[in-house]
Amino acid sequence: MEDLNELKNQIKAWSSELGFEGMGVSNINIEEDGNHLNKWLEKKRHGSMAYMKKHGEKRSRPDLLLPGTIRVISLKIHYYSRDKEQAEIDLDDSEKSYIANYALGRDYHKTIKQKLKLLVSRIRKYSKLKGQNFFVDSAPVLERAFARDGGLGWIGKNTNLINKNEGSWFFLAEIFTDIEIPVDEPATNHCGSCNDCIKVCPTEAIVAPYQLDARRCISYLTIENKDVIPLEMRKAIGNRIFGCDDCQIFCPWNKFAKKLVTDDFLPREQFVNESLESLFKWTRDDWEKNTQGSPIRRAGYSGWLRNLAVALGNSRKKESVRAALASRLDDTNKMVREHIIWAIEEQKAP
């Protein structure tokens, strides 16, 4: 019979060798979180993300997703590469783009899946059990709930997972297993009376503590949303062309954030130093080349142009901006064109 405490220590050591910077183990009972999800869906706060509703109880029931599962091993890996001061400078420069921190480097799915595959193969070899499977934002899993119960952090008022010693700039991944590994103590909540994330949200998407309306969230509007961005949201988007970090940038716990150690997540030059105008001029071929292996692919080329048009409409009024916008009126689809027309009008406004 194998020593399960020894196995757990082995998994922790292996995960560290592979670049993971935290591991926790939880059981599979998160019924309360499942109820919270159902209420969120009933209020239609998921917007057009139909996949959030598609899998029923599987998100909160690992044993339905992978029969035989009795434990969830949660892992985290940091991606923080831009400090608060630099983020504020970037957000204040209306002629430059702001791309969410997590999307500046290589697509995290690919990097983390490679690491998980190696880790699971080691667990299987050591334990002789075959019931493991792994996920990284690619299956119906309430990952933050399992990570919380595994002691990796608490779910904050901005709905992100926050670690007391390391902030919130990290990716999560999970391994479902049929091995009865000893569980960790769940993390306790340390948000206290702080409401900074709620106050700074540009579109007031955090409608109450621990409650996010995705339909108002800039990350949803610029990535998951494939249609028109509502008029009333466009000014608040500012120069954010892919995602939004504000509720993390201004979270006090992120003064303890750890800088990334994985080169894959280092920012690509074309995403940090290019002007909005130059990005807007990318042809489809340019976009395909420059976003290869990047999370930005998720927005699609039309979404990319739509988001840039909005940002250009919010940028400093310049003749060159108006010319750049006008130059693309005839080579985009109807949805993008609507945003270009809006942006031109904003540029003309006194």
Side-chain angles (χ1 to χ4, degrees):
M1 180 141 179
E2 61 196 356
D3 184 328
L4 294 176
N5 281 303
E6 183 184 343
L7 173 60
K8 181 177 178 180
N9 290 333
Q10 282 282 359
I11 296 171
K12 191 167 289 189
W14 292 331
S15 67
S16 181
E17 287 173 15
L18 289 166
F20 291 105
E21 298 164 278
M23 187 196 98
V25 181
S26 66
N27 62 36
I28 62 171
N29 181 18
I30 56 164
E31 184 179 352
E32 187 177 335
D33 297 276
N35 292 335
H36 181 78
L37 172 65
N38 289 333
K39 290 176 184 176
W40 183 74
L41 291 168
E42 287 169 8
K43 293 177 180 177
K44 302 189 185 304
R45 288 178 174 169
H46 59 300
S48 62
M49 296 183 289
Y51 58 84
M52 291 297 299
K53 199 172 184 177
K54 180 180 177 183
H55 298 283
E57 289 187 316
K58 285 183 179 179
R59 287 189 181 275
S60 57
R61 289 281 306 275
D63 53 332
L64 293 180
L65 190 61
L66 182 66
T69 298
I70 59 172
R71 293 286 188 270
V72 176
I73 302 169
S74 294
L75 301 137
K76 66 183 178 71
I77 186 168
H78 295 262
Y79 64 84
Y80 175 60
S81 62
R82 176 174 48 201
D83 60 27
K84 181 175 181 287
E85 290 71 25
Q86 187 59 52
E88 289 184 279
I89 290 169
D90 293 344
L91 286 169
D92 287 341
D93 187 346
S94 70
E95 295 183 46
K96 293 284 183 70
S97 65
Y98 186 92
I99 292 173
N101 223 336
Y102 85 88
L104 291 171
R106 189 171 189 259
D107 190 338
Y108 64 96
H109 297 90
K110 298 174 182 178
T111 295
I112 297 176
K113 277 182 179 178
Q114 290 172 358
K115 296 177 183 295
L116 286 171
K117 189 174 181 180
L118 289 170
L119 181 55
V120 166
S121 69
R122 288 187 181 182
I123 298 171
R124 284 178 174 159
K125 184 176 180 180
Y126 184 98
S127 68
K128 300 184 176 61
L129 290 178
K130 306 298 182 185
Q132 290 85 227
N133 205 349
F134 58 87
F135 309 98
V136 51
D137 197 23
S138 57
V141 180
L142 288 180
E143 59 180 11
R144 283 166 288 186
F146 293 117
R148 175 203 62 212
D149 286 1
L152 293 185
W154 72 93
I155 299 174
K157 291 179 182 178
N158 60 4
T159 74
N160 287 313
L161 197 77
I162 305 172
N163 183 283
K164 190 175 182 179
N165 300 312
E166 299 174 351
S168 63
W169 301 100
F170 49 81
F171 299 119
L172 291 172
E174 303 77 43
I175 298 172
F176 287 8
T177 183
D178 55 5
I179 308 171
E180 200 171 353
I181 303 170
V183 300
D184 290 289
E185 283 291 318
T188 53
N189 192 307
H190 295 279
C191 279
S193 60
C194 177
N195 287 310
D196 287 2
C197 59
I198 299 173
K199 293 174 185 174
V200 301
C201 179
T203 52
E204 299 180 346
I206 307 172
V207 293
Y210 314 105
Q211 295 186 44
L212 178 78
D213 189 338
R215 296 168 297 183
R216 300 187 63 85
C217 178
I218 292 174
S219 288
Y220 167 81
L221 291 169
T222 58
I223 305 171
E224 299 297 327
N225 168 43
K226 306 304 179 188
D227 207 340
V228 169
I229 294 175
L231 272 170
E232 65 271 20
M233 300 291 177
R234 295 179 192 175
K235 293 295 290 181
I237 286 174
N239 64 341
R240 301 168 185 84
I241 64 167
F242 189 92
C244 179
D245 288 327
D246 287 40
C247 65
Q248 295 191 84
I249 293 168
F250 299 99
C251 173
W253 288 106
N254 271 323
K255 65 186 176 185
F256 302 116
K258 287 180 66 175
K259 290 278 187 178
L260 64 84
V261 295
T262 304
D263 288 347
D264 278 2
F265 304 143
L266 287 170
R268 295 183 179 185
E269 187 69 20
Q270 64 265 36
F271 295 148
V272 290
N273 290 319
E274 292 285 346
S275 69
L276 291 169
E277 282 185 60
S278 63
L279 293 176
F280 190 67
K281 292 174 182 176
W282 281 4
T283 64
R284 183 178 288 275
D285 286 344
D286 292 333
W287 185 81
E288 292 283 352
K289 177 184 175 183
N290 288 318
T291 63
Q292 187 172 3
S294 163
I296 288 173
R297 284 281 178 96
R298 188 165 181 84
Y301 184 56
S302 292
W304 171 258
L305 291 177
R306 173 200 63 193
N307 300 342
L308 279 162
V310 170
L312 285 167
N314 293 328
S315 69
R316 189 160 66 91
K317 293 177 173 57
K318 289 170 62 179
E319 181 55 43
S320 62
V321 171
R322 292 190 288 275
L325 287 163
S327 72
R328 305 219 66 165
L329 276 171
D330 296 326
D331 72 344
T332 55
N333 61 36
K334 182 181 177 182
M335 185 271 288
V336 176
R337 195 175 303 119
E338 176 180 334
H339 296 80
I340 293 175
I341 293 168
W342 173 85
I344 291 172
E345 291 304 311
E346 287 297 311
Q347 277 283 318
K348 289 179 179 176

